[in-house]
Amino acid sequence: MIKLRLKRYGKKREASYRIVAMNGLSRRDGRPLEELGFYNPRTDEVRLDVPGIVKRLQQGAQPTDTVRRILQKANVFEQVSANTAS
């Protein structure tokens, strides 16, 4: 199963995360299938590849709880439902 999850990078105590599509059995910092965004919890900066995320969600990818919250704040799920309705 494909999962949308956070991949950690950066220095100690200064972590940032990439939002990636990965195989559900891969380790957290393993090789992703695709990088779909960026999240910095210290500054709340978020950059998303919305078309790529919508495509992966329509293919059945499951976001983790944290990624789901980030996507809900960015109203990505509304775009998924709008694209499936058309």
Coordinates of all heavy atoms in Angstrom, one line a residue:
M1 N 0.8 -1.2 0.0 CA 0.0 0.0 0.0 C 0.9 1.2 0.0 O 1.9 1.3 0.7 CB -0.9 0.0 1.3 CG -1.6 1.3 1.4 SD -2.4 1.6 3.0 CE -3.1 0.0 3.4
I2 N 0.5 2.2 -0.8 CA 1.2 3.5 -0.8 C 0.7 4.4 0.3 O -0.5 4.5 0.5 CB 1.0 4.2 -2.2 CG1 1.4 3.3 -3.3 CG2 1.8 5.5 -2.3 CD1 2.9 2.9 -3.3
K3 N 1.7 5.0 1.0 CA 1.3 6.0 2.1 C 1.9 7.3 1.8 O 3.0 7.4 1.2 CB 1.8 5.5 3.4 CG 1.1 4.3 4.0 CD 1.4 4.1 5.4 CE 0.4 3.2 6.0 NZ -0.6 3.9 6.8
L4 N 1.2 8.4 2.2 CA 1.7 9.7 2.2 C 2.2 10.0 3.6 O 1.4 10.0 4.5 CB 0.7 10.7 1.8 CG 0.1 10.6 0.4 CD1 -1.0 11.6 0.1 CD2 1.1 10.6 -0.7
R5 N 3.5 10.2 3.8 CA 4.1 10.3 5.1 C 5.1 11.4 5.1 O 5.5 11.9 4.1 CB 4.6 9.0 5.6 CG 5.8 8.5 4.8 CD 6.5 7.4 5.5 NE 5.7 6.2 5.8 CZ 6.2 5.0 5.9 NH1 7.5 4.8 5.8 NH2 5.4 4.0 6.2
L6 N 5.6 11.7 6.3 CA 6.7 12.7 6.5 C 8.0 12.0 6.5 O 8.2 11.0 7.1 CB 6.5 13.5 7.8 CG 5.3 14.3 7.9 CD1 5.2 14.9 9.3 CD2 5.2 15.4 6.8
K7 N 9.0 12.6 5.8 CA 10.4 12.1 5.8 C 11.2 13.2 6.5 O 11.3 14.3 6.0 CB 10.8 11.8 4.4 CG 12.3 11.4 4.3 CD 12.6 11.1 2.8 CE 14.1 10.7 2.7 NZ 14.4 10.4 1.3
R8 N 11.9 12.8 7.5 CA 12.7 13.8 8.3 C 14.0 14.1 7.7 O 14.7 13.2 7.2 CB 12.9 13.3 9.7 CG 13.5 14.2 10.7 CD 13.7 13.5 12.1 NE 14.0 14.5 13.1 CZ 15.2 15.0 13.4 NH1 16.2 14.7 12.6 NH2 15.4 15.9 14.3
Y9 N 14.4 15.4 7.8 CA 15.8 15.8 7.4 C 16.1 17.0 8.1 O 15.3 17.7 8.8 CB 15.9 15.9 5.9 CG 15.3 17.1 5.3 CD1 16.0 18.2 4.9 CD2 13.9 17.1 5.0 CE1 15.4 19.3 4.3 CE2 13.3 18.2 4.5 CZ 14.1 19.3 4.1 OH 13.5 20.4 3.5
G10 N 17.4 17.4 8.1 CA 17.8 18.6 8.8 C 18.7 18.2 10.0 O 18.9 17.1 10.3
K11 N 19.2 19.2 10.7 CA 20.1 19.0 11.9 C 19.3 18.6 13.1 O 18.1 18.7 13.1 CB 20.8 20.3 12.2 CG 21.8 20.8 11.1 CD 22.7 21.8 11.5 CE 22.0 23.1 11.8 NZ 22.9 24.2 12.1
K12 N 20.0 18.2 14.1 CA 19.4 17.8 15.4 C 18.7 19.0 15.9 O 19.2 20.2 15.9 CB 20.4 17.4 16.4 CG 21.1 16.1 16.2 CD 22.0 15.9 17.4 CE 22.9 14.6 17.1 NZ 23.9 14.5 18.2
R13 N 17.5 18.8 16.5 CA 16.6 19.9 17.0 C 16.2 20.9 16.0 O 15.7 22.0 16.4 CB 17.3 20.5 18.3 CG 17.5 19.5 19.4 CD 18.0 20.2 20.6 NE 18.3 19.3 21.7 CZ 19.4 18.6 21.9 NH1 20.4 18.8 21.1 NH2 19.5 17.8 22.9
E14 N 16.5 20.7 14.8 CA 16.1 21.7 13.7 C 15.5 20.9 12.6 O 15.8 21.1 11.4 CB 17.3 22.5 13.3 CG 17.8 23.5 14.3 CD 18.9 24.4 13.8 OE1 18.9 24.6 12.6 OE2 19.7 24.9 14.6
A15 N 14.6 20.0 12.9 CA 14.1 19.1 11.9 C 13.1 19.8 10.9 O 12.4 20.7 11.4 CB 13.4 17.9 12.5
S16 N 13.1 19.4 9.7 CA 12.2 19.7 8.7 C 11.7 18.4 8.1 O 12.3 17.4 8.3 CB 12.7 20.6 7.6 OG 13.1 21.9 8.2
Y17 N 10.6 18.5 7.4 CA 10.1 17.2 6.8 C 9.7 17.4 5.4 O 9.3 18.5 5.0 CB 8.8 16.8 7.6 CG 9.1 16.5 9.0 CD1 9.0 17.5 10.0 CD2 9.5 15.2 9.4 CE1 9.3 17.2 11.3 CE2 9.8 14.9 10.8 CZ 9.7 15.9 11.7 OH 10.0 15.7 13.0
R18 N 9.9 16.4 4.6 CA 9.3 16.3 3.2 C 8.1 15.4 3.3 O 8.1 14.4 3.9 CB 10.4 15.8 2.3 CG 11.5 16.7 2.1 CD 12.4 16.2 0.9 NE 13.4 17.2 0.7 CZ 14.7 17.1 0.8 NH1 15.2 15.9 1.3 NH2 15.5 18.1 0.6
I19 N 7.1 15.8 2.5 CA 5.9 15.0 2.4 C 6.1 14.1 1.2 O 6.4 14.7 0.1 CB 4.6 15.9 2.3 CG1 4.5 16.7 3.5 CG2 3.4 15.0 2.0 CD1 3.4 17.7 3.4
V20 N 6.1 12.8 1.4 CA 6.5 11.9 0.3 C 5.5 10.8 0.2 O 4.8 10.4 1.1 CB 7.9 11.3 0.6 CG1 9.0 12.4 0.5 CG2 8.0 10.5 1.9
A21 N 5.5 10.2 -1.0 CA 4.7 9.0 -1.3 C 5.7 7.8 -1.2 O 6.7 7.8 -1.8 CB 4.1 9.0 -2.6
M22 N 5.4 6.8 -0.3 CA 6.3 5.7 0.0 C 5.5 4.4 0.1 O 4.3 4.5 0.4 CB 7.1 5.9 1.3 CG 8.0 7.1 1.3 SD 8.9 7.1 2.8 CE 10.2 6.0 2.5
N23 N 6.2 3.3 -0.1 CA 5.6 2.0 0.1 C 5.3 2.0 1.6 O 6.2 2.4 2.4 CB 6.5 0.9 -0.3 CG 5.9 -0.4 -0.2 OD1 5.0 -0.6 0.5 ND2 6.6 -1.4 -0.8
G24 N 4.2 1.4 2.1 CA 3.9 1.4 3.5 C 4.8 0.6 4.4 O 4.9 0.8 5.6
L25 N 5.6 -0.3 3.8 CA 6.5 -1.1 4.5 C 7.9 -0.6 4.6 O 8.8 -1.1 5.3 CB 6.6 -2.6 3.9 CG 5.2 -3.3 3.9 CD1 5.4 -4.6 3.2 CD2 4.7 -3.5 5.3
S26 N 8.2 0.5 3.9 CA 9.5 1.1 3.9 C 9.8 1.9 5.2 O 8.8 2.3 5.8 CB 9.7 2.1 2.7 OG 9.5 1.5 1.5
R27 N 11.0 2.0 5.6 CA 11.4 2.7 6.8 C 11.2 4.2 6.5 O 11.1 4.7 5.4 CB 12.8 2.4 7.2 CG 13.8 2.8 6.1 CD 15.2 2.5 6.6 NE 16.1 3.3 5.8 CZ 17.2 2.8 5.3 NH1 17.6 1.6 5.5 NH2 18.0 3.6 4.6
R28 N 11.1 5.0 7.6 CA 10.7 6.4 7.6 C 11.6 7.2 6.6 O 11.1 8.0 5.8 CB 10.8 7.0 8.9 CG 10.4 8.5 9.0 CD 10.7 9.1 10.3 NE 12.2 9.2 10.4 CZ 12.8 9.7 11.5 NH1 12.1 10.1 12.5 NH2 14.1 9.8 11.5
D29 N 12.9 7.0 6.7 CA 13.8 7.8 5.9 C 14.3 7.1 4.6 O 15.4 7.4 4.1 CB 15.0 8.3 6.7 CG 14.5 9.3 7.8 OD1 13.4 9.9 7.6 OD2 15.1 9.4 8.8
G30 N 13.6 6.1 4.2 CA 14.0 5.3 3.0 C 13.7 6.1 1.7 O 13.3 7.3 1.7
R31 N 14.0 5.4 0.6 CA 13.8 6.1 -0.7 C 12.3 6.2 -1.0 O 11.6 5.2 -1.1 CB 14.5 5.3 -1.8 CG 14.2 5.8 -3.2 CD 15.1 5.2 -4.2 NE 16.4 5.8 -4.1 CZ 17.4 5.4 -4.8 NH1 17.4 4.3 -5.5 NH2 18.6 6.0 -4.7
P32 N 11.9 7.5 -1.3 CA 10.4 7.7 -1.6 C 10.1 7.4 -3.1 O 11.0 7.4 -3.9 CB 10.2 9.1 -1.3 CG 11.6 9.8 -1.6 CD 12.6 8.7 -1.2
L33 N 8.9 7.1 -3.4 CA 8.5 7.0 -4.7 C 8.4 8.3 -5.4 O 8.7 8.5 -6.6 CB 7.1 6.3 -4.8 CG 7.0 4.9 -4.2 CD1 5.5 4.5 -4.2 CD2 7.8 4.0 -5.0
E34 N 8.0 9.4 -4.6 CA 7.8 10.7 -5.1 C 7.8 11.7 -4.0 O 7.2 11.4 -2.9 CB 6.5 10.8 -5.9 CG 6.2 12.1 -6.6 CD 4.9 12.0 -7.3 OE1 4.1 11.1 -7.2 OE2 4.7 13.0 -8.1
E35 N 8.4 12.9 -4.1 CA 8.4 13.9 -3.1 C 7.3 14.9 -3.5 O 7.2 15.4 -4.6 CB 9.7 14.6 -3.0 CG 10.8 13.8 -2.4 CD 12.1 14.5 -2.1 OE1 12.1 15.8 -2.4 OE2 13.0 13.9 -1.7
L36 N 6.3 15.1 -2.6 CA 5.1 15.9 -2.9 C 5.0 17.2 -2.1 O 4.0 17.9 -2.3 CB 3.9 15.0 -2.6 CG 3.8 13.8 -3.4 CD1 2.8 12.8 -2.9 CD2 3.6 14.1 -4.9
G37 N 5.9 17.5 -1.2 CA 5.8 18.7 -0.5 C 6.8 18.9 0.6 O 7.8 18.0 0.7
F38 N 6.7 19.9 1.4 CA 7.7 20.3 2.4 C 6.9 20.8 3.6 O 5.9 21.5 3.4 CB 8.6 21.4 1.8 CG 9.4 22.0 2.9 CD1 10.6 21.5 3.3 CD2 9.1 23.2 3.4 CE1 11.4 22.1 4.2 CE2 9.9 23.9 4.4 CZ 11.0 23.3 4.8
Y39 N 7.3 20.5 4.8 CA 6.7 21.0 6.0 C 7.8 21.3 7.1 O 8.6 20.5 7.3 CB 5.7 20.0 6.6 CG 5.2 20.3 8.0 CD1 4.5 21.4 8.2 CD2 5.4 19.4 9.0 CE1 4.0 21.8 9.4 CE2 4.9 19.7 10.3 CZ 4.2 20.9 10.5 OH 3.7 21.2 11.7
N40 N 7.7 22.6 7.6 CA 8.7 23.0 8.6 C 7.8 23.3 9.9 O 7.1 24.3 9.9 CB 9.5 24.2 8.2 CG 10.5 24.6 9.2 OD1 10.5 24.2 10.3 ND2 11.5 25.4 8.8
P41 N 7.8 22.4 10.9 CA 7.0 22.7 12.1 C 7.4 23.9 12.9 O 6.6 24.4 13.7 CB 7.1 21.4 12.9 CG 8.4 20.8 12.4 CD 8.6 21.2 11.0
R42 N 8.7 24.3 12.8 CA 9.2 25.4 13.6 C 8.6 26.7 13.1 O 8.3 27.6 13.9 CB 10.7 25.5 13.6 CG 11.3 24.3 14.4 CD 12.8 24.2 14.3 NE 13.2 24.0 13.0 CZ 14.1 24.8 12.3 NH1 14.6 25.8 12.8 NH2 14.4 24.4 11.0
T43 N 8.4 26.9 11.8 CA 7.9 28.1 11.2 C 6.5 27.9 10.6 O 5.9 28.9 10.1 CB 8.8 28.6 10.1 OG1 8.9 27.7 9.1 CG2 10.2 28.9 10.7
D44 N 5.9 26.7 10.7 CA 4.7 26.3 10.1 C 4.6 26.6 8.6 O 3.6 26.9 8.0 CB 3.5 27.0 10.8 CG 3.1 26.4 12.1 OD1 3.4 25.2 12.2 OD2 2.6 27.1 13.0
E45 N 5.8 26.6 7.9 CA 5.9 26.7 6.5 C 5.5 25.4 5.8 O 5.9 24.3 6.2 CB 7.3 27.1 6.1 CG 7.4 27.3 4.6 CD 8.9 27.5 4.2 OE1 9.8 27.6 5.1 OE2 9.1 27.6 3.0
V46 N 4.6 25.5 4.8 CA 4.1 24.3 4.1 C 4.1 24.7 2.6 O 3.6 25.7 2.2 CB 2.7 24.0 4.5 CG1 2.2 22.8 3.7 CG2 2.6 23.6 6.0
R47 N 4.7 23.8 1.8 CA 4.7 23.9 0.4 C 4.2 22.6 -0.2 O 4.8 21.5 0.2 CB 6.1 24.2 -0.2 CG 6.4 25.7 -0.1 CD 7.7 26.0 -0.8 NE 8.8 25.9 0.3 CZ 9.9 25.3 0.1 NH1 10.2 24.7 -1.1 NH2 10.8 25.2 1.1
L48 N 3.2 22.6 -1.0 CA 2.6 21.3 -1.5 C 2.5 21.3 -3.0 O 2.2 22.3 -3.6 CB 1.2 21.2 -0.9 CG 1.0 21.1 0.6 CD1 -0.4 21.1 0.9 CD2 1.7 19.9 1.1
D49 N 2.8 20.1 -3.6 CA 2.5 19.8 -5.0 C 1.1 19.3 -5.1 O 0.9 18.1 -5.1 CB 3.6 18.8 -5.5 CG 3.3 18.4 -6.9 OD1 2.5 19.1 -7.6 OD2 3.8 17.4 -7.3
V50 N 0.1 20.2 -5.1 CA -1.3 19.8 -5.0 C -1.7 18.8 -6.1 O -2.3 17.8 -5.8 CB -2.2 21.0 -4.9 CG1 -3.6 20.6 -4.8 CG2 -1.8 21.8 -3.6
P51 N -1.4 19.1 -7.4 CA -1.8 18.1 -8.4 C -1.2 16.8 -8.2 O -1.9 15.7 -8.4 CB -1.3 18.8 -9.7 CG -1.1 20.2 -9.4 CD -0.8 20.3 -8.0
G52 N 0.0 16.7 -7.7 CA 0.7 15.4 -7.5 C 0.0 14.7 -6.3 O -0.2 13.4 -6.3
I53 N -0.3 15.4 -5.2 CA -1.0 14.8 -4.1 C -2.4 14.3 -4.5 O -2.8 13.2 -4.1 CB -1.1 15.8 -2.9 CG1 0.3 16.1 -2.4 CG2 -2.0 15.3 -1.8 CD1 0.4 17.2 -1.4
V54 N -3.1 15.1 -5.2 CA -4.5 14.7 -5.6 C -4.4 13.5 -6.5 O -5.2 12.5 -6.3 CB -5.2 15.9 -6.4 CG1 -6.4 15.4 -7.1 CG2 -5.5 17.1 -5.5
K55 N -3.4 13.4 -7.4 CA -3.3 12.2 -8.2 C -3.0 10.9 -7.4 O -3.6 9.9 -7.6 CB -2.1 12.4 -9.2 CG -1.8 11.3 -10.1 CD -0.7 11.6 -11.0 CE 0.4 10.6 -10.6 NZ 1.7 10.8 -11.3
R56 N -2.1 11.1 -6.4 CA -1.8 9.9 -5.5 C -3.0 9.5 -4.6 O -3.2 8.3 -4.5 CB -0.6 10.3 -4.6 CG 0.7 10.3 -5.3 CD 1.1 8.9 -5.7 NE 2.4 8.9 -6.3 CZ 3.0 7.8 -6.7 NH1 2.5 6.6 -6.6 NH2 4.2 7.9 -7.3
L57 N -3.7 10.5 -4.1 CA -4.9 10.2 -3.3 C -6.0 9.5 -4.2 O -6.7 8.5 -3.7 CB -5.5 11.4 -2.7 CG -4.7 12.0 -1.6 CD1 -5.2 13.4 -1.1 CD2 -4.6 11.1 -0.4
Q58 N -6.1 9.9 -5.4 CA -7.1 9.2 -6.3 C -6.7 7.8 -6.7 O -7.5 6.9 -6.9 CB -7.3 10.0 -7.6 CG -8.1 11.3 -7.4 CD -8.2 12.2 -8.6 OE1 -7.4 12.0 -9.5 NE2 -9.1 13.1 -8.6
Q59 N -5.4 7.5 -6.6 CA -4.8 6.2 -6.9 C -5.0 5.3 -5.6 O -4.6 4.1 -5.7 CB -3.4 6.3 -7.3 CG -3.2 6.9 -8.7 CD -1.7 7.1 -9.0 OE1 -0.9 7.0 -8.1 NE2 -1.4 7.4 -10.2
G60 N -5.4 5.9 -4.5 CA -5.6 5.0 -3.3 C -4.6 5.2 -2.2 O -4.5 4.4 -1.3
A61 N -3.7 6.2 -2.3 CA -2.7 6.4 -1.3 C -3.3 6.8 0.0 O -4.3 7.6 0.0 CB -1.7 7.4 -1.7
Q62 N -2.8 6.3 1.1 CA -3.4 6.6 2.5 C -2.4 7.6 3.2 O -1.3 7.2 3.4 CB -3.5 5.3 3.3 CG -4.5 4.4 2.7 CD -5.9 4.9 2.7 OE1 -6.4 5.5 3.7 NE2 -6.6 4.8 1.5
P63 N -2.9 8.8 3.6 CA -2.0 9.7 4.3 C -2.0 9.3 5.8 O -2.9 8.7 6.4 CB -2.7 11.0 4.2 CG -4.2 10.7 3.9 CD -4.2 9.4 3.2
T64 N -0.8 9.5 6.4 CA -0.7 9.3 7.9 C -1.6 10.4 8.6 O -2.0 11.4 7.9 CB 0.7 9.4 8.3 OG1 1.3 10.7 8.0 CG2 1.5 8.3 7.7
D65 N -1.7 10.3 9.9 CA -2.6 11.3 10.6 C -2.0 12.7 10.5 O -2.8 13.7 10.3 CB -2.7 10.9 12.1 CG -3.5 9.6 12.3 OD1 -4.3 9.2 11.4 OD2 -3.3 8.9 13.3
T66 N -0.7 12.9 10.6 CA -0.1 14.2 10.6 C -0.2 14.8 9.2 O -0.6 16.0 9.0 CB 1.4 14.1 11.0 OG1 1.5 13.5 12.3 CG2 2.0 15.5 11.1
V67 N 0.0 14.0 8.2 CA -0.1 14.5 6.8 C -1.6 14.8 6.5 O -1.9 15.8 5.8 CB 0.5 13.5 5.8 CG1 0.2 13.9 4.4 CG2 2.0 13.3 6.0
R68 N -2.5 14.0 7.0 CA -3.9 14.3 6.8 C -4.3 15.7 7.3 O -5.0 16.4 6.7 CB -4.8 13.2 7.5 CG -6.3 13.4 7.2 CD -7.0 12.3 7.9 NE -6.7 11.0 7.4 CZ -7.2 10.4 6.3 NH1 -8.1 11.1 5.6 NH2 -6.9 9.2 5.9
R69 N -3.8 16.0 8.5 CA -4.1 17.3 9.1 C -3.5 18.4 8.3 O -4.1 19.5 8.1 CB -3.5 17.4 10.6 CG -4.6 16.9 11.6 CD -4.1 17.2 13.0 NE -3.7 15.8 13.5 CZ -2.5 15.5 13.9 NH1 -1.6 16.3 14.0 NH2 -2.3 14.3 14.4
I70 N -2.3 18.2 7.8 CA -1.6 19.3 6.9 C -2.5 19.5 5.7 O -2.7 20.6 5.2 CB -0.2 18.9 6.6 CG1 0.7 18.9 7.8 CG2 0.4 19.8 5.5 CD1 2.0 18.3 7.7
L71 N -2.9 18.4 5.1 CA -3.7 18.5 3.8 C -5.1 19.1 4.1 O -5.6 19.8 3.2 CB -3.8 17.1 3.2 CG -2.5 16.4 2.7 CD1 -2.8 15.1 2.1 CD2 -1.8 17.3 1.8
Q72 N -5.7 18.8 5.2 CA -7.0 19.4 5.5 C -6.9 20.9 5.7 O -7.7 21.6 5.3 CB -7.5 18.8 6.8 CG -8.1 17.4 6.6 CD -8.5 16.7 7.9 OE1 -8.1 17.1 9.0 NE2 -9.4 15.7 7.8
K73 N -5.8 21.4 6.3 CA -5.6 22.8 6.5 C -5.4 23.5 5.1 O -5.8 24.6 4.9 CB -4.3 23.1 7.3 CG -4.5 22.9 8.8 CD -3.3 23.2 9.5 CE -3.4 22.9 11.0 NZ -2.2 23.2 11.7
A74 N -4.8 22.8 4.1 CA -4.6 23.3 2.8 C -5.8 23.0 1.9 O -5.8 23.4 0.7 CB -3.4 22.7 2.2
N75 N -6.9 22.4 2.4 CA -8.1 22.1 1.6 C -7.9 21.3 0.4 O -8.5 21.4 -0.7 CB -8.8 23.4 1.2 CG -9.3 24.2 2.4 OD1 -9.8 23.7 3.4 ND2 -9.2 25.5 2.3
V76 N -7.0 20.3 0.5 CA -6.6 19.4 -0.6 C -7.7 18.4 -0.8 O -8.0 18.0 -2.0 CB -5.3 18.7 -0.4 CG1 -5.0 17.7 -1.4 CG2 -4.2 19.8 -0.3
F77 N -8.4 17.9 0.2 CA -9.4 16.9 0.1 C -10.6 17.4 -0.7 O -11.3 16.7 -1.3 CB -9.8 16.3 1.5 CG -8.7 15.5 2.1 CD1 -8.1 16.0 3.2 CD2 -8.3 14.3 1.6 CE1 -7.1 15.3 3.8 CE2 -7.3 13.6 2.1 CZ -6.7 14.1 3.3
E78 N -10.9 18.7 -0.6 CA -12.0 19.3 -1.4 C -11.7 19.2 -2.9 O -12.6 19.0 -3.7 CB -12.2 20.7 -1.0 CG -12.7 20.9 0.4 CD -12.8 22.4 0.9 OE1 -12.6 23.3 0.1 OE2 -13.1 22.6 2.1
Q79 N -10.4 19.4 -3.2 CA -10.0 19.3 -4.6 C -10.1 17.8 -5.1 O -10.5 17.6 -6.3 CB -8.6 19.8 -4.8 CG -8.5 21.3 -4.6 CD -7.2 21.8 -4.8 OE1 -6.3 21.2 -5.4 NE2 -6.9 23.0 -4.2
V80 N -9.8 16.9 -4.2 CA -9.9 15.5 -4.6 C -11.4 15.1 -4.9 O -11.7 14.5 -5.9 CB -9.4 14.5 -3.5 CG1 -9.6 13.1 -3.8 CG2 -7.9 14.8 -3.3
S81 N -12.3 15.5 -4.0 CA -13.7 15.2 -4.2 C -14.3 15.9 -5.4 O -15.1 15.4 -6.1 CB -14.5 15.5 -3.0 OG -14.4 16.9 -2.6
A82 N -13.8 17.2 -5.7 CA -14.2 17.9 -6.9 C -13.8 17.2 -8.2 O -14.5 17.2 -9.2 CB -13.7 19.3 -6.8
N83 N -12.6 16.7 -8.2 CA -12.0 16.0 -9.4 C -12.7 14.7 -9.6 O -12.9 14.3 -10.8 CB -10.5 15.8 -9.3 CG -9.8 17.1 -9.5 OD1 -10.3 18.1 -9.9 ND2 -8.5 17.1 -9.1
T84 N -13.1 14.0 -8.6 CA -13.8 12.7 -8.8 C -15.2 12.9 -9.2 O -15.8 12.1 -9.9 CB -13.7 11.8 -7.5 OG1 -14.3 12.6 -6.4 CG2 -12.3 11.4 -7.2
A85 N -15.8 14.0 -8.8 CA -17.2 14.3 -9.2 C -17.3 14.7 -10.6 O -18.4 14.5 -11.3 CB -17.8 15.4 -8.3
S86 N -16.3 15.3 -11.2 CA -16.4 15.7 -12.6 C -16.1 14.6 -13.6 O -15.6 13.7 -13.4 CB -15.4 16.8 -13.0 OG -14.7 17.4 -12.0

